[in-house]
Amino acid sequence: MLRNRPLTAALAAALIWALSGCAGPASGAGYYWQSVSGHLRLMGAARPLHDWIEDAQTPAELRQRLQLAQRMRRFAVDALALPDNTSYQRYADLQRRAAVYNVVAAPELSLTLKQWCFPVAGCVGYRGYFNESDAKAFADSLSDGPMDVAVYPVLAYSTLGWMNWAGGDPLLNTFIAYPEGELARILFHELAHQVVYVAGDTAFNESFATAVERLGGARWLTQAGEKAQREYAAFDARRQAFRALTRDTRERLQAIFEDVNTTADQKRQLKAGEMTRFHTRYAELRQHWAGYRGYDAWVARANNASFGAQAAYDDLVPGFEALFEREGRDFTRFYDAVRTLASQTPEQRLAALTDLAPALRAAVPAPTTTP
């Protein structure tokens, strides 16, 4: 279908990159060209799961993972009320470690991400590239005063259902081999972006999708095998310990930056001390992980930008989880309630989620749309 409708595909892809849930839009003809061409190459590499499963050349382990993903896809519809469409009914091997690479940036004395704005998507705090070298080149070009900049790999992104006519978002080699519970969470997260997406509110979108992945992943694991449950428990225990560490560090940095009684030079010194403390605490934490080094790269590049980006995925999740409980743990009612929130202003959304989970009041700064 892509061959027969190249113009439609290109226009749709341009819109996707203006609306993407996990990658970032920005202006510029060259940027849009890499976005459109990169996405079309990804789509062109995808084949139906049936073809991969029936192909004698498909490795047995990959065949099993694709069959597992098929069952997860059905579960997403039947148990989680997620969209029943063509997304994740195909698979592509991109021959690289990430689907896209995101660039994020923040001032040296703030965790507020620099934003790039687009008429349709609104303002977002990241900018995505299909080529890692392009992402690094753009990161190097940022010179709007002293900035902390980070480039990080993104395993998957959502086209919000805009490309379902062309086969939808495919499964990718970048995440297909993850532990069973984590694979389920990734699928549920990306499908959640097709349920609700608010232009210009990254924290709302990502925290909602993260809440869905956690709730749905937990439900999936109740019917998974004991091996999958043990494997995921170890995986998630490390993640929760790491998130607790980064959340504490974010809060400490935020307190430093907001202190009106310290000078900029004093804040720089305190920031340096806090980052040293973070690295020391991480080294201590990793000693209990039996050689697991999955967070080393993130820690090595950690700065204001990477801490600010992580906050979008974490900070509002308790409010969404409380909303799910309020709606009787019914996913359909939960999505309807989230859609109601989505129709409100950012300030109203934050207030509603804070009322549901009061702990958010001290942890989450007021929303901003300042570029």
Side-chain angles (χ1 to χ4, degrees), residues 93-267:
D93 185 347
L94 303 180
Q95 302 293 312
R96 61 178 185 263
R97 68 189 182 103
V100 292
Y101 300 87
N102 274 4
V103 179
V104 288
E108 65 167 342
L109 297 179
S110 172
L111 297 180
T112 300
L113 295 178
K114 175 180 175 62
Q115 299 196 334
W116 289 274
C117 297
F118 187 80
V120 177
C123 297
V124 294
Y126 43 74
R127 178 165 162 161
Y129 288 85
F130 280 95
N131 188 294
E132 185 175 13
S133 62
D134 289 343
K136 290 180 177 178
F138 176 72
D140 291 341
S141 75
L142 294 175
S143 57
D144 304 17
M147 299 286 286
D148 283 6
V149 182
V151 178
Y152 63 92
V154 177
L155 301 179
Y157 64 89
S158 173
T159 58
L160 311 180
W162 282 73
M163 290 298 285
N164 285 333
W165 64 269
D169 301 329
L171 297 163
L172 300 173
N173 65 294
T174 56
F175 60 84
I176 194 65
Y178 267 56
E180 180 175 334
E182 187 64 8
L183 175 60
R185 285 171 59 123
I186 291 170
L187 288 181
F188 303 157
H189 181 109
E190 300 307 331
L191 285 167
H193 283 307
Q194 297 189 24
V195 175
V196 178
Y197 178 84
V198 179
D201 197 335
T202 302
F204 182 86
N205 296 329
E206 295 301 343
S207 290
F208 163 64
T210 297
V212 173
E213 73 167 67
R214 291 186 189 180
L215 297 165
R219 190 167 291 192
W220 168 267
L221 284 170
T222 61
Q223 50 88 65
E226 186 175 327
K227 178 178 180 295
Q229 293 172 354
R230 288 197 309 269
E231 185 180 43
Y232 183 74
F235 187 98
D236 195 51
R238 290 191 297 263
R239 172 169 47 204
Q240 295 306 321
F242 182 70
R243 283 183 171 174
L245 171 60
T246 55
R247 185 181 306 111
D248 180 65
T249 302
R250 282 204 311 271
E251 292 171 357
R252 289 172 175 273
L253 289 171
Q254 189 73 25
I256 291 170
F257 300 149
E258 292 179 349
D259 188 349
V260 297
N261 296 315
T262 56
T263 66
D265 284 342
Q266 290 173 326
K267 289 179 181 180

Side-chain angles (χ1 to χ4, degrees), residues 36-50:
V36 171
S37 60
H39 183 73
L40 291 179
R41 284 195 299 271
L42 181 149
M43 295 288 286
R47 294 164 49 200
L49 293 186
H50 178 269

Side-chain angles (χ1 to χ4, degrees), residues 281-359:
R281 293 174 68 192
Y282 173 70
E284 294 171 350
L285 186 63
R286 204 184 65 180
Q287 291 179 1
H288 304 285
W289 289 349
Y292 180 79
R293 305 174 66 90
Y295 294 109
D296 284 11
W298 195 98
V299 171
R301 65 173 180 264
N303 58 25
N304 289 1
S306 44
F307 280 112
Q310 190 186 54
Y313 290 81
D314 291 344
D315 283 348
L316 300 182
V317 173
F320 283 109
E321 292 178 333
L323 180 61
F324 182 71
E325 294 294 333
R326 192 195 75 182
E327 297 303 321
R329 300 182 64 81
D330 181 283
F331 278 96
T332 299
R333 287 173 52 187
F334 172 57
Y335 299 151
D336 287 342
V338 174
R339 291 187 185 98
T340 298
L341 287 178
S343 68
Q344 300 174 358
T345 67
E347 293 78 14
Q348 290 171 328
R349 290 194 288 270
L350 179 61
L353 291 170
T354 300
D355 288 343
L356 286 163

